[in-house]
Amino acid sequence: MSTEYQVLSNADEISRSAADEFVRRAEAAVCDRGAFTVALAGGTTPKSMYSLLAGDAYVKKVPWDKISFFWGDERHVPPSHADSNYRMAYEAMLKKVPVRPESIYRIMTEDTDAAAVAQAYEHTLRTHFSLTEGDLPEFDLVLLGMGPDGHTASLFPGTGALDEKTKLVAANWVEKFHSYRVTMTVPVLNNADCVIFMVSGAEKTPALEAVLQGDAPPKKYPAKFIRPVRGKLVWLLDRAAYPGDPARLVSSAASD
Ligand code: 6PG
């Protein structure tokens, strides 16, 4: 695993840096094998990156017809719901660009049985990536955010999905929301060629410190579980989230 840290001025710079990396990796993957697979993040931080990619400055740089879009996680709400990660990405980007509709693989959360939703998405992954038992999908790019509690995707502190080592997708009960979330599991996220965290805002500072520099257990700060086995880990941080000395964040080659 190699790790790169970028401490940027603000959320807009995070979006631009993430969009640049997205384009670079999409171009490389399409050149290499004619396709690019990405797992999108939910929440609010990535929304401006999605809008940027669909905007004049980037839209013509992206090989939209060669990209397959997945979601790292989803709330257990219908796709039309205001909290839907699918809806956020669709409104901000996907409805504005020439992506093939059949290449948009949303998590089908209209099914009220969260376990069935997770099972169905796992089947979608196994089919798309032609996986045999025990295989993991290898995403070209996984986009992630991090909550103030150190969660990422829908891997929340102290929840059952943190221990999931064989399933690709889990239905994860989150007590504080009194609801299920559906999330890709740690082994899937760590099998990506590149994982980009986008972390903005002072409310993230304590958790970010614990994830990047503390010795707190990953179960308390699940973003600590994300360590790509072979791939590159990129932390895009703004000064509000990381007010510390950037020199303390030593980017590393494949050593660690
Ligand atoms: C979600 C996301 C979640 C998000 C973090 C950070 O479904 O909400 O998958 O993991 O990335 O909560 O969200 P913000 O970027 O909005 O702070």
PDB file of all heavy atoms in Angstrom, residues 4 19 45 48 68 85 90 100 102 125 129 138 174 195 202-203 225-226 237-238 242 252:
ATOM      1  N   GLU A   4      -0.814   8.682   0.176  1.00  0.00           N
ATOM      2  CA  GLU A   4      -0.543  10.082  -0.176  1.00  0.00           C
ATOM      3  C   GLU A   4      -1.477  10.986   0.610  1.00  0.00           C
ATOM      4  O   GLU A   4      -2.669  10.690   0.744  1.00  0.00           O
ATOM      5  CB  GLU A   4      -0.759  10.293  -1.681  1.00  0.00           C
ATOM      6  CG  GLU A   4      -0.550  11.731  -2.147  1.00  0.00           C
ATOM      7  CD  GLU A   4      -0.976  11.944  -3.589  1.00  0.00           C
ATOM      8  OE1 GLU A   4      -1.027  10.941  -4.346  1.00  0.00           O
ATOM      9  OE2 GLU A   4      -1.293  13.092  -3.945  1.00  0.00           O
ATOM     10  N   ALA A  19     -11.410  15.168  -8.446  1.00  0.00           N
ATOM     11  CA  ALA A  19     -11.852  15.099  -9.849  1.00  0.00           C
ATOM     12  C   ALA A  19     -10.662  14.857 -10.766  1.00  0.00           C
ATOM     13  O   ALA A  19     -10.742  14.048 -11.711  1.00  0.00           O
ATOM     14  CB  ALA A  19     -12.568  16.385 -10.236  1.00  0.00           C
ATOM     15  N   THR A  45     -19.902  15.773   1.287  1.00  0.00           N
ATOM     16  CA  THR A  45     -18.611  16.236   0.763  1.00  0.00           C
ATOM     17  C   THR A  45     -18.414  15.907  -0.718  1.00  0.00           C
ATOM     18  O   THR A  45     -17.993  16.769  -1.496  1.00  0.00           O
ATOM     19  CB  THR A  45     -17.447  15.669   1.604  1.00  0.00           C
ATOM     20  OG1 THR A  45     -17.638  16.048   2.969  1.00  0.00           O
ATOM     21  CG2 THR A  45     -16.101  16.189   1.114  1.00  0.00           C
ATOM     22  N   SER A  48     -20.020  18.055  -4.397  1.00  0.00           N
ATOM     23  CA  SER A  48     -19.453  19.109  -5.253  1.00  0.00           C
ATOM     24  C   SER A  48     -18.438  18.530  -6.238  1.00  0.00           C
ATOM     25  O   SER A  48     -18.286  19.029  -7.353  1.00  0.00           O
ATOM     26  CB  SER A  48     -18.806  20.203  -4.402  1.00  0.00           C
ATOM     27  OG  SER A  48     -17.854  19.649  -3.530  1.00  0.00           O
ATOM     28  N   SER A  68     -18.433   2.113 -15.138  1.00  0.00           N
ATOM     29  CA  SER A  68     -19.492   1.452 -14.355  1.00  0.00           C
ATOM     30  C   SER A  68     -19.487   2.054 -12.954  1.00  0.00           C
ATOM     31  O   SER A  68     -18.442   2.071 -12.286  1.00  0.00           O
ATOM     32  CB  SER A  68     -19.234  -0.058 -14.274  1.00  0.00           C
ATOM     33  OG  SER A  68     -19.339  -0.627 -15.578  1.00  0.00           O
ATOM     34  N   ASN A  85     -28.080   8.091  -1.216  1.00  0.00           N
ATOM     35  CA  ASN A  85     -26.774   8.387  -1.832  1.00  0.00           C
ATOM     36  C   ASN A  85     -26.854   8.266  -3.359  1.00  0.00           C
ATOM     37  O   ASN A  85     -26.172   8.991  -4.089  1.00  0.00           O
ATOM     38  CB  ASN A  85     -25.692   7.448  -1.292  1.00  0.00           C
ATOM     39  CG  ASN A  85     -25.327   7.745   0.142  1.00  0.00           C
ATOM     40  OD1 ASN A  85     -25.492   8.885   0.612  1.00  0.00           O
ATOM     41  ND2 ASN A  85     -24.848   6.747   0.862  1.00  0.00           N
ATOM     42  N   TYR A  90     -26.967  10.940  -8.563  1.00  0.00           N
ATOM     43  CA  TYR A  90     -27.725  11.042  -9.828  1.00  0.00           C
ATOM     44  C   TYR A  90     -28.046  12.500 -10.138  1.00  0.00           C
ATOM     45  O   TYR A  90     -27.820  12.981 -11.250  1.00  0.00           O
ATOM     46  CB  TYR A  90     -29.015  10.216  -9.732  1.00  0.00           C
ATOM     47  CG  TYR A  90     -29.811  10.214 -11.016  1.00  0.00           C
ATOM     48  CD1 TYR A  90     -29.418   9.428 -12.092  1.00  0.00           C
ATOM     49  CD2 TYR A  90     -30.932  11.037 -11.177  1.00  0.00           C
ATOM     50  CE1 TYR A  90     -30.124   9.443 -13.287  1.00  0.00           C
ATOM     51  CE2 TYR A  90     -31.630  11.066 -12.369  1.00  0.00           C
ATOM     52  CZ  TYR A  90     -31.232  10.259 -13.415  1.00  0.00           C
ATOM     53  OH  TYR A  90     -31.924  10.301 -14.607  1.00  0.00           O
ATOM     54  N   ARG A 100     -23.937   5.228 -19.659  1.00  0.00           N
ATOM     55  CA  ARG A 100     -24.936   4.249 -20.096  1.00  0.00           C
ATOM     56  C   ARG A 100     -25.796   3.853 -18.898  1.00  0.00           C
ATOM     57  O   ARG A 100     -25.251   3.407 -17.879  1.00  0.00           O
ATOM     58  CB  ARG A 100     -24.215   3.019 -20.684  1.00  0.00           C
ATOM     59  CG  ARG A 100     -23.465   3.360 -21.998  1.00  0.00           C
ATOM     60  CD  ARG A 100     -22.811   2.127 -22.600  1.00  0.00           C
ATOM     61  NE  ARG A 100     -21.861   1.522 -21.651  1.00  0.00           N
ATOM     62  CZ  ARG A 100     -21.705   0.194 -21.511  1.00  0.00           C
ATOM     63  NH1 ARG A 100     -22.464  -0.633 -22.210  1.00  0.00           N
ATOM     64  NH2 ARG A 100     -20.818  -0.270 -20.657  1.00  0.00           N
ATOM     65  N   GLU A 102     -27.418   1.340 -18.125  1.00  0.00           N
ATOM     66  CA  GLU A 102     -27.184  -0.036 -17.645  1.00  0.00           C
ATOM     67  C   GLU A 102     -25.861  -0.152 -16.884  1.00  0.00           C
ATOM     68  O   GLU A 102     -25.557  -1.187 -16.304  1.00  0.00           O
ATOM     69  CB  GLU A 102     -27.228  -1.026 -18.802  1.00  0.00           C
ATOM     70  CG  GLU A 102     -26.135  -0.856 -19.854  1.00  0.00           C
ATOM     71  CD  GLU A 102     -26.513   0.114 -20.962  1.00  0.00           C
ATOM     72  OE1 GLU A 102     -27.395   0.984 -20.718  1.00  0.00           O
ATOM     73  OE2 GLU A 102     -25.910   0.009 -22.056  1.00  0.00           O
ATOM     74  N   LEU A 125     -22.296  -7.503  -7.728  1.00  0.00           N
ATOM     75  CA  LEU A 125     -20.830  -7.411  -7.765  1.00  0.00           C
ATOM     76  C   LEU A 125     -20.230  -8.702  -8.323  1.00  0.00           C
ATOM     77  O   LEU A 125     -19.353  -8.662  -9.200  1.00  0.00           O
ATOM     78  CB  LEU A 125     -20.277  -7.150  -6.365  1.00  0.00           C
ATOM     79  CG  LEU A 125     -20.583  -5.793  -5.725  1.00  0.00           C
ATOM     80  CD1 LEU A 125     -19.946  -5.714  -4.334  1.00  0.00           C
ATOM     81  CD2 LEU A 125     -20.107  -4.633  -6.584  1.00  0.00           C
ATOM     82  N   PHE A 129     -18.128  -8.542 -11.847  1.00  0.00           N
ATOM     83  CA  PHE A 129     -16.679  -8.806 -11.795  1.00  0.00           C
ATOM     84  C   PHE A 129     -16.349 -10.266 -12.091  1.00  0.00           C
ATOM     85  O   PHE A 129     -15.187 -10.690 -11.969  1.00  0.00           O
ATOM     86  CB  PHE A 129     -16.121  -8.415 -10.421  1.00  0.00           C
ATOM     87  CG  PHE A 129     -16.060  -6.915 -10.193  1.00  0.00           C
ATOM     88  CD1 PHE A 129     -17.112  -6.256  -9.569  1.00  0.00           C
ATOM     89  CD2 PHE A 129     -14.956  -6.169 -10.609  1.00  0.00           C
ATOM     90  CE1 PHE A 129     -17.074  -4.881  -9.360  1.00  0.00           C
ATOM     91  CE2 PHE A 129     -14.895  -4.796 -10.392  1.00  0.00           C
ATOM     92  CZ  PHE A 129     -15.959  -4.144  -9.772  1.00  0.00           C
ATOM     93  N   GLU A 138     -12.261  -5.991  -7.699  1.00  0.00           N
ATOM     94  CA  GLU A 138     -11.147  -5.033  -7.663  1.00  0.00           C
ATOM     95  C   GLU A 138     -11.590  -3.752  -8.353  1.00  0.00           C
ATOM     96  O   GLU A 138     -11.555  -3.642  -9.578  1.00  0.00           O
ATOM     97  CB  GLU A 138      -9.915  -5.608  -8.354  1.00  0.00           C
ATOM     98  CG  GLU A 138      -8.694  -4.711  -8.256  1.00  0.00           C
ATOM     99  CD  GLU A 138      -7.445  -5.345  -8.872  1.00  0.00           C
ATOM    100  OE1 GLU A 138      -7.373  -6.598  -8.947  1.00  0.00           O
ATOM    101  OE2 GLU A 138      -6.572  -4.576  -9.315  1.00  0.00           O
ATOM    102  N   VAL A 174     -27.529   0.158  12.453  1.00  0.00           N
ATOM    103  CA  VAL A 174     -26.862   1.293  13.094  1.00  0.00           C
ATOM    104  C   VAL A 174     -27.813   1.845  14.150  1.00  0.00           C
ATOM    105  O   VAL A 174     -28.787   2.546  13.836  1.00  0.00           O
ATOM    106  CB  VAL A 174     -26.472   2.371  12.071  1.00  0.00           C
ATOM    107  CG1 VAL A 174     -25.645   3.482  12.746  1.00  0.00           C
ATOM    108  CG2 VAL A 174     -25.678   1.769  10.908  1.00  0.00           C
ATOM    109  N   VAL A 195      -8.017   4.142  -3.235  1.00  0.00           N
ATOM    110  CA  VAL A 195      -9.076   4.634  -2.343  1.00  0.00           C
ATOM    111  C   VAL A 195      -8.788   6.093  -2.047  1.00  0.00           C
ATOM    112  O   VAL A 195      -7.664   6.442  -1.655  1.00  0.00           O
ATOM    113  CB  VAL A 195      -9.130   3.841  -1.019  1.00  0.00           C
ATOM    114  CG1 VAL A 195     -10.197   4.426  -0.090  1.00  0.00           C
ATOM    115  CG2 VAL A 195      -9.419   2.365  -1.282  1.00  0.00           C
ATOM    116  N   ALA A 202     -13.989  21.186  10.392  1.00  0.00           N
ATOM    117  CA  ALA A 202     -13.375  21.095  11.730  1.00  0.00           C
ATOM    118  C   ALA A 202     -14.000  20.003  12.588  1.00  0.00           C
ATOM    119  O   ALA A 202     -13.353  19.451  13.480  1.00  0.00           O
ATOM    120  CB  ALA A 202     -13.485  22.448  12.431  1.00  0.00           C
ATOM    121  N   GLU A 203     -15.247  19.662  12.285  1.00  0.00           N
ATOM    122  CA  GLU A 203     -15.897  18.634  13.112  1.00  0.00           C
ATOM    123  C   GLU A 203     -15.243  17.264  12.917  1.00  0.00           C
ATOM    124  O   GLU A 203     -15.450  16.351  13.716  1.00  0.00           O
ATOM    125  CB  GLU A 203     -17.400  18.555  12.806  1.00  0.00           C
ATOM    126  CG  GLU A 203     -17.786  17.929  11.472  1.00  0.00           C
ATOM    127  CD  GLU A 203     -17.643  18.889  10.294  1.00  0.00           C
ATOM    128  OE1 GLU A 203     -17.104  19.998  10.502  1.00  0.00           O
ATOM    129  OE2 GLU A 203     -18.057  18.504   9.173  1.00  0.00           O
ATOM    130  N   PHE A 225      -9.704   0.995   9.382  1.00  0.00           N
ATOM    131  CA  PHE A 225      -9.658  -0.331   8.745  1.00  0.00           C
ATOM    132  C   PHE A 225      -9.226  -0.247   7.285  1.00  0.00           C
ATOM    133  O   PHE A 225      -8.857  -1.243   6.680  1.00  0.00           O
ATOM    134  CB  PHE A 225     -11.049  -0.987   8.794  1.00  0.00           C
ATOM    135  CG  PHE A 225     -11.381  -1.668  10.098  1.00  0.00           C
ATOM    136  CD1 PHE A 225     -12.418  -1.194  10.887  1.00  0.00           C
ATOM    137  CD2 PHE A 225     -10.671  -2.786  10.534  1.00  0.00           C
ATOM    138  CE1 PHE A 225     -12.756  -1.821  12.086  1.00  0.00           C
ATOM    139  CE2 PHE A 225     -10.999  -3.430  11.725  1.00  0.00           C
ATOM    140  CZ  PHE A 225     -12.040  -2.939  12.501  1.00  0.00           C
ATOM    141  N   ILE A 226      -9.362   0.969   6.711  1.00  0.00           N
ATOM    142  CA  ILE A 226      -9.149   1.094   5.265  1.00  0.00           C
ATOM    143  C   ILE A 226      -7.651   1.226   4.976  1.00  0.00           C
ATOM    144  O   ILE A 226      -7.037   2.271   5.172  1.00  0.00           O
ATOM    145  CB  ILE A 226      -9.937   2.271   4.677  1.00  0.00           C
ATOM    146  CG1 ILE A 226     -11.417   2.168   5.047  1.00  0.00           C
ATOM    147  CG2 ILE A 226      -9.744   2.302   3.147  1.00  0.00           C
ATOM    148  CD1 ILE A 226     -12.082   0.844   4.686  1.00  0.00           C
ATOM    149  N   LEU A 237      -7.533  16.262   2.434  1.00  0.00           N
ATOM    150  CA  LEU A 237      -7.981  16.898   3.671  1.00  0.00           C
ATOM    151  C   LEU A 237      -7.983  18.404   3.484  1.00  0.00           C
ATOM    152  O   LEU A 237      -7.121  18.944   2.767  1.00  0.00           O
ATOM    153  CB  LEU A 237      -7.008  16.541   4.813  1.00  0.00           C
ATOM    154  CG  LEU A 237      -6.576  15.078   4.919  1.00  0.00           C
ATOM    155  CD1 LEU A 237      -5.439  14.924   5.918  1.00  0.00           C
ATOM    156  CD2 LEU A 237      -7.769  14.210   5.280  1.00  0.00           C
ATOM    157  N   ASP A 238      -8.892  19.094   4.124  1.00  0.00           N
ATOM    158  CA  ASP A 238      -8.734  20.551   4.119  1.00  0.00           C
ATOM    159  C   ASP A 238      -8.160  20.977   5.469  1.00  0.00           C
ATOM    160  O   ASP A 238      -8.113  20.201   6.441  1.00  0.00           O
ATOM    161  CB  ASP A 238     -10.031  21.269   3.749  1.00  0.00           C
ATOM    162  CG  ASP A 238     -11.138  21.119   4.783  1.00  0.00           C
ATOM    163  OD1 ASP A 238     -10.883  20.582   5.886  1.00  0.00           O
ATOM    164  OD2 ASP A 238     -12.267  21.531   4.474  1.00  0.00           O
ATOM    165  N   TYR A 242      -7.756  19.279   9.104  1.00  0.00           N
ATOM    166  CA  TYR A 242      -6.405  18.958   9.563  1.00  0.00           C
ATOM    167  C   TYR A 242      -5.621  20.250   9.776  1.00  0.00           C
ATOM    168  O   TYR A 242      -4.862  20.698   8.892  1.00  0.00           O
ATOM    169  CB  TYR A 242      -5.660  18.049   8.567  1.00  0.00           C
ATOM    170  CG  TYR A 242      -4.349  17.551   9.147  1.00  0.00           C
ATOM    171  CD1 TYR A 242      -4.332  16.485  10.025  1.00  0.00           C
ATOM    172  CD2 TYR A 242      -3.147  18.191   8.861  1.00  0.00           C
ATOM    173  CE1 TYR A 242      -3.140  16.050  10.607  1.00  0.00           C
ATOM    174  CE2 TYR A 242      -1.955  17.765   9.442  1.00  0.00           C
ATOM    175  CZ  TYR A 242      -1.959  16.702  10.306  1.00  0.00           C
ATOM    176  OH  TYR A 242      -0.783  16.279  10.890  1.00  0.00           O
ATOM    177  N   SER A 252       3.886   7.803   1.884  1.00  0.00           N
ATOM    178  CA  SER A 252       4.824   6.667   1.839  1.00  0.00           C
ATOM    179  C   SER A 252       4.690   5.960   0.505  1.00  0.00           C
ATOM    180  O   SER A 252       3.636   5.990  -0.127  1.00  0.00           O
ATOM    181  CB  SER A 252       4.469   5.682   2.954  1.00  0.00           C
ATOM    182  OG  SER A 252       3.158   5.198   2.705  1.00  0.00           O
TER     183      SER A 252
END
